[in-house]
């Protein structure tokens, strides 16, 4: 093999490699992997939001058929209190360590039995007494316990004189926007099987990054990372909810150590809602000032999100205020509000999705008050460099997204005045939103082996959570090696393959591809050696510029058309169109599937999703798919999505991420369309029937009968 690599696999639409396994039901997920000598664990969770365990009576459970034992804080293995995740120590990982109840749904015991049914029955026989303490789940922007959020993602913006620019503005919008707590709602519940052999911990787990989970488990047990082996071959959705080390694998590992046999723990749907992290609620104030011609003078985005005292987290709602629009004064303030809840986690488009709803709704309100087309307002305020950092953009195709999206949608035919278009009793409206999401790469390790039969085995701890990562990476490897895709075998989802970034932050595919391409370069230098197999391994840690001179972002423009029945409050999305700038597209078929799925999640956020907590108990009252509503097939129109030509110069192959950008702008576009239909602004999500319902005019009394 000589010469430069051939091209052709990247950019071609190819179906998923694992597709036949999934449609025939033969793909094995974490709860499907057969295991000899398997025992089953069932979690008992706290029913109060704050307090202490006074007593746990397990005597009845221990006498039931098939029960092997019960673990609780009195006899569970001790865990390292300093173990944590990306943001530092995380108290939510230290399960069964003490009698403290920091949130409703906290696992307080694990029943182990020969069968799942026996474990469940025994869990129901456990009696728990609590010393209940006052709890606080009352979230709002001005909460007395609020504090500045961590600035680990970068400093807050404070350029120019915001107050002076607002005072000099012809139009000022100053409004509050709210989004509720939301659950990830992946199809596959969290599940894990764990066992110990010769001091090594093995686990088959449903997660978004096997290597990072192995790091957390190693820290919890204070053992070398090389002694922890985690596999996650197939994952039935994650959206960020499986990005952290979950309770299922921690508890399974505890029981496996104590009872010296493989243990499987599978969460019920209700347990997923109460015991795994969710997107936090947000309360955001946006102030925007503009001149009469639509030029922005000031943007002030002040946002708060709920947090747990157990762990640090950042819901970066204010990032887009620093990126999307030019203004002489920009200020951002991000606030964390500690409450008695489980620590939140990233959910698709973290920060950007709720932040975009607030910022893009406010931009629509500016256009309304100026009597200006919302598209024109956005085009008129495009920056030539990042408005806050001053750095040039490595690639910025937002104008292309806006203009092409408007052309395809037929935006110019829209009457900007609200409540002007009707079809019978229905009001018709259209809206749009622009958005961005930060992009980049993180270190990963890839190995490629040239086999004796002329094929190549690529190993990288990537995670395929339904995105088609196997298929995309096969194309990347084929082009990097200059061979056909049929010559590539790929291994993913195994922590033993080495350090790699997980599936999250729109950085998975770009990070893994970078490592594969570098490993291929290294291997090609050795291919003249006739001795095979030959393996090349590459760790990209030393190759990554962690402080690039240019701003790296992806962009999108989303357009929506809705119908509103004012008599019932029902909102239906009739059309949804998105144009995206995400760098070079590896596989158009899979990429479209990704962004269409993201837009559907944004639709679901706009109209349906809302975790509701009882203020008296602090518990979620709709923790199942009967009460927590998500978009179904009947709610989803024929979604159109496409990509503008783009190339990311900071990536060796021009790639950027696209997992998050599909969700981020959709809710705002739909909310703006509802305003256009009704003339009433929706500043709180979801746009429920009761928020849209209009009073029916009183009818004159009927004439008397004669």
């Amino acid at each position: 093999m000589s010469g430069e690599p051939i091209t052709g696999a990247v950019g071609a639409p190819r179906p998923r490699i694992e597709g036949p396994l999934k449609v025939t039901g033969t793909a094995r997920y974490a709860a499907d992997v057969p295991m000899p000598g398997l025992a089953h664990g069932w979690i008992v969770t706290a029913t109060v939001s704050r307090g202490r365990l006074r007593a746990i009576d397990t005597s009845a459970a221990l006498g039931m058929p098939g029960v092997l034992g019960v673990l609780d804080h009195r006899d569970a293995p001790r865990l390292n209190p300093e173990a944590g995740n990306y943001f530092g120590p995380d108290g939510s990982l230290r399960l069964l360590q003490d009698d403290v109840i920091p949130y409703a749904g906290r696992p307080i015991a694990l029943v182990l039995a020969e069968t799942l049914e026996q474990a469940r029955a025994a869990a129901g026989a456990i009696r728990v007494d609590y010393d209940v303490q006052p709890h606080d789940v009352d979230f709002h922007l001005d909460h007395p316990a609020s504090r500045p959020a961590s600035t680990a993602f970068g400093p807050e913006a404070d350029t120019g004189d915001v107050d002076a620019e607002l005072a000099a503005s012809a139009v000022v919008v100053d409004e509050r926007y709210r989004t509720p707590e939301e659950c990830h709602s992946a199809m596959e519940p969290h599940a894990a099987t764990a066992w110990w052999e010769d001091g090594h911990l093995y686990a088959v787990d449903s997660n978004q990054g096997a290597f990072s989970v192995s790091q957390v488990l190693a820290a919890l047990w204070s053992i070398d990372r090389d002694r922890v082996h985690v596999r996650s071959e197939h994952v039935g959705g994650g959206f960020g909810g499986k990005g952290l080390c979950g309770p299922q694998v921690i508890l399974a590992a505890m029981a496996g150590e104590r009872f010296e046999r493989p243990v499987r723990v599978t969460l019920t749907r209700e347990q997923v809602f109460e015991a795994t992290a969710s997107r936090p609620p947000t309360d955001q104030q946006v102030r925007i000032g503009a001149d009469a011609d639509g030029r922005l003078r000031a943007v002030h985005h002040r946002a708060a999100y709920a947090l747990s005292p157990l762990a640090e987290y950042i819901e970066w709602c204010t990032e887009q205020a620093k990126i999307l629009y030019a203004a002489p004064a920009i200020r951002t303030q991000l606030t964390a509000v500690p409450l008695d809840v489980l620590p939140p986690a990233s959910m698709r488009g973290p920060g950007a999705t709720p932040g975009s709803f607030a910022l893009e709704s406010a931009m629509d309100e500016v256009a309304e008050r100026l009597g200006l087309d919302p598209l024109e307002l956005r085009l008129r305020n495009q920056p030539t460099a990042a408005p806050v950092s001053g750095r040039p953009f490595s690639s910025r195709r937002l104008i292309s997204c806006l203009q092409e999206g408007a052309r395809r949608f037929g935006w110019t035919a829209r009457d900007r005045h609200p409540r002007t278009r009707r079809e019978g009793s229905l009001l018709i409206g259209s809206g749009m939103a622009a958005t961005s999401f930060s992009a980049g790469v993180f270190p990963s390790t890839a190995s490629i082996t040239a086999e004796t039969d002329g094929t190549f085995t690529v190993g990288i701890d990537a995670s395929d959570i339904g995105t088609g990562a196997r298929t995309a990476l096969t194309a990347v490897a084929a082009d990097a090696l200059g061979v056909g895709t049929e010559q590539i075998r790929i291994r993913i989802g195994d922590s033993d393959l080495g350090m790699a970034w997980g599936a999250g932050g729109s950085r998975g595919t770009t990070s893994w591809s970078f490592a594969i391409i570098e490993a291929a370069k290294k291997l090609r230098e050795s291919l003249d050696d006739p001795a095979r197999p030959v393996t090349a391994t590459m760790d990209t840690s030393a190759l990554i510029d962690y402080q690039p001179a240019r701003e790296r972002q992806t962009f999108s423009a989303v357009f929506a058309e809705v119908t509103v029945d004012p008599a019932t409050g029902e909102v239906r999305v009739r059309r949804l169109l998105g144009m995206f700038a995400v760098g070079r597209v590896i596989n158009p078929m899979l990429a479209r599937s990704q962004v269409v799925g993201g837009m559907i999640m944004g639709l679901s956020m706009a109209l349906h999703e809302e975790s509701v907590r009882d203020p008296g108990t602090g518990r979620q009252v709709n923790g199942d798919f009967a009460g927590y509503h998500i978009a179904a097939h009947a709610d989803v129109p024929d979604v159109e999505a496409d990509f503008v030509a783009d190339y990311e110069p900071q990536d060796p192959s021009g790639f950027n991420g696209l997992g998050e950008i599909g969700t981020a702008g959709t809710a705002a576009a739909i909310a703006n369309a509802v305003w256009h239909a009704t003339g009433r602004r929706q500043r709180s999500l979801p746009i429920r029937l009761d928020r849209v319902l209009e009073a029916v005019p009183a009818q004159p009394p009927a004439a008397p009968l004669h």
Side-chain angles (χ1 to χ4, degrees):
M1 203 169 110
S2 60
E4 291 300 312
I6 62 173
T7 59
V10 170
R14 299 171 186 270
R16 299 167 193 265
I17 291 171
E18 77 283 3
L21 296 177
K22 289 182 175 178
V23 299
T24 58
T26 52
R28 283 178 170 166
Y29 294 84
D32 302 329
V33 178
M35 187 69 57
L38 184 65
H40 294 269
W42 192 276
I43 301 174
V44 178
T45 58
T47 59
V48 303
S49 288
R50 186 165 175 263
R52 288 185 176 273
L53 294 167
R54 183 189 305 149
I56 300 180
D57 184 355
T58 62
S59 57
L62 291 171
M64 296 177 70
V67 174
L68 301 171
V70 178
L71 285 180
D72 59 43
H73 69 281
R74 297 169 296 187
D75 57 1
R78 298 297 94 184
L79 301 176
N80 176 11
E82 297 303 314
N85 282 299
Y86 311 116
F87 300 105
D90 184 346
S92 68
L93 299 170
R94 299 183 60 249
L95 302 178
L96 311 185
Q97 300 298 289
D98 53 40
D99 62 356
V100 177
I101 306 297
Y103 57 86
R106 174 81 159 185
I108 56 175
L110 182 73
V111 179
L112 198 68
E114 296 288 355
T115 69
L116 185 64
E117 294 76 13
Q118 290 170 335
R120 180 176 187 172
I126 292 178
R127 297 293 174 258
V128 183
D129 290 326
Y130 302 95
D131 288 323
V132 180
Q133 299 170 352
H135 65 266
D136 181 8
V137 294
D138 182 21
F139 169 73
H140 54 89
L141 180 60
D142 300 308
H143 192 287
S146 64
R147 61 168 176 79
S150 167
T151 56
F153 288 170
E156 296 285 5
D158 193 5
T159 64
D161 189 331
V162 167
D163 295 328
E165 294 292 345
L166 288 171
S169 296
V171 166
V172 174
V173 166
D174 184 352
E175 299 292 350
R176 292 273 284 274
Y177 305 88
R178 295 173 175 87
T179 63
E181 180 182 355
E182 298 173 78
C183 296
H184 298 81
S185 304
M187 184 179 294
E188 176 205 22
H190 295 57
T193 304
W195 66 99
W196 293 78
E197 290 182 12
D198 300 324
H200 287 243
L201 172 58
Y202 297 84
V204 179
D205 181 43
S206 180
N207 64 57
Q208 294 178 221
F211 187 85
S212 63
V213 170
S214 74
Q215 289 178 305
V216 174
L217 291 173
L220 282 169
W221 267 269
S222 300
I223 60 177
D224 292 339
R225 213 287 317 166
D226 291 343
R227 292 169 58 190
V228 181
H229 315 269
V230 178
R231 287 188 289 123
S232 56
E233 185 177 4
H234 295 286
V235 183
F239 315 118
K242 296 173 183 173
L244 304 177
C245 186
Q248 72 283 352
V249 69
I250 298 171
L251 294 171
M254 281 182 163
E257 182 183 39
R258 176 56 52 86
F259 295 96
E260 299 182 345
R261 60 187 293 182
V263 174
R264 177 165 295 160
V265 175
T266 303
L267 274 61
T268 65
R269 182 62 61 189
E270 292 80 2
Q271 288 171 343
V272 171
F273 274 93
E274 68 178 0
T276 68
S278 58
R279 192 200 300 276
T282 72
D283 186 355
Q284 306 177 60
Q285 179 187 28
V286 180
R287 297 193 298 163
I288 300 179
D291 287 332
D293 65 355
R295 301 289 177 180
L296 299 188
R297 297 183 69 105
V299 177
H300 180 198
H301 192 170
R302 177 176 171 240
Y305 62 91
L307 185 73
S308 167
L310 294 176
E312 190 58 79
Y313 174 75
I314 304 171
E315 185 73 10
W316 203 15
C317 303
T318 56
E319 179 196 12
Q320 290 162 322
K322 307 174 186 179
I323 296 296
L324 281 179
Y325 304 114
I330 298 176
R331 182 189 302 157
T332 62
Q333 295 169 279
L334 190 59
T335 299
V337 179
L339 299 175
D340 297 315
V341 294
L342 176 68
S346 298
M347 184 170 168
R348 200 168 190 180
T353 297
S356 170
F357 167 67
L359 180 63
E360 288 300 283
S361 293
M363 284 292 289
D364 211 64
E365 297 203 50
V366 172
E368 172 195 348
R369 298 183 194 187
L370 287 170
L372 188 65
D373 181 271
L375 174 64
E376 179 58 30
L377 176 67
R378 288 164 173 83
L379 291 172
R380 210 168 277 187
N381 289 282
Q382 289 301 300
T384 56
V388 173
S389 71
R391 296 188 301 176
F393 291 99
S394 60
S395 174
R396 187 183 174 96
R397 301 285 186 270
L398 178 54
I399 291 177
S400 298
C401 291
L402 290 165
Q403 293 177 335
E404 179 61 14
R407 184 190 70 79
R408 297 191 189 191
F409 192 77
W411 182 262
T412 56
R414 173 187 186 266
D415 186 329
R416 64 177 175 80
H417 297 96
R419 214 179 176 94
T420 56
R421 184 178 167 197
R422 291 177 178 265
E423 292 181 7
S425 62
L426 298 179
L427 303 172
I428 314 299
S430 54
M432 56 86 59
T435 194
S436 65
F437 195 86
S438 62
V441 294
F442 285 131
S444 294
T445 300
S447 295
I448 305 178
T449 299
E451 308 288 359
T452 56
D453 61 359
T455 63
F456 297 84
T457 300
V458 179
I460 187 165
D461 183 33
S463 182
D464 195 329
I465 58 175
T467 55
R470 291 177 180 82
T471 311
L473 297 179
T474 295
V476 170
D479 279 5
L481 291 165
V483 300
T485 55
E486 72 281 356
Q487 292 177 255
I488 303 295
R489 288 193 297 265
I490 192 155
R491 294 179 57 215
I492 65 170
D494 189 335
S495 64
D496 288 348
L497 295 172
M499 175 272 298
W501 178 248
S506 280
R507 286 165 169 78
T509 301
T510 50
S511 300
W512 305 327
S513 296
F514 185 27
I516 288 172
I517 290 167
E518 293 300 320
K521 290 179 183 177
K522 186 175 180 181
L523 180 64
R524 286 175 64 83
E525 297 172 357
S526 307
L527 287 180
D528 291 336
D529 186 344
R532 293 198 181 191
V534 177
T535 299
T537 299
M538 195 67 188
D539 177 351
T540 59
S541 298
L543 304 178
I544 293 174
D545 182 359
Y546 295 96
Q547 293 183 321
R550 294 178 176 268
E551 196 76 48
R552 183 171 176 178
Q553 300 275 330
T554 56
F555 297 92
S556 74
V558 180
F559 297 79
E561 180 179 284
V562 304
T563 65
V564 180
D565 187 335
T568 66
E570 183 179 25
V571 177
R572 289 281 182 180
V573 177
R574 178 181 285 182
R575 297 177 60 201
L576 202 55
L577 181 150
M579 293 299 301
F580 300 89
V582 294
R584 188 178 172 210
V585 175
I586 297 174
N587 184 318
M589 181 188 299
L590 299 183
R592 182 183 181 277
S593 176
Q594 273 265 66
V595 295
V596 166
M599 292 166 75
I600 292 171
M601 288 191 72
L603 182 157
S604 194
M605 175 188 186
L607 301 183
H608 304 291
E609 297 193 41
E610 179 181 25
S611 291
V612 179
R613 291 188 179 271
D614 181 342
T617 66
R619 299 185 65 186
Q620 185 179 355
V621 298
N622 61 337
D624 54 45
F625 284 159
Y628 184 89
H629 297 164
I630 58 176
H633 284 289
D635 300 305
V636 179
D638 183 16
V639 181
E640 182 181 351
D642 206 350
F643 305 91
V644 300
D646 195 14
Y647 190 94
E648 173 51 59
Q650 293 188 56
D651 187 88
S653 299
F655 302 150
N656 253 343
L658 53 81
E660 321 285 359
I661 191 70
T663 306
T666 307
I670 292 171
N672 292 337
V674 172
W675 168 81
H676 187 238
T678 65
R680 295 172 60 192
R681 187 66 63 177
Q682 299 293 326
R683 300 189 182 96
S684 294
L685 296 182
I687 305 173
R688 300 190 312 246
L689 303 181
D690 61 298
R691 290 172 172 162
V692 180
L693 186 67
E694 297 182 6
V696 179
Q699 299 297 318
L705 297 176
H706 297 289

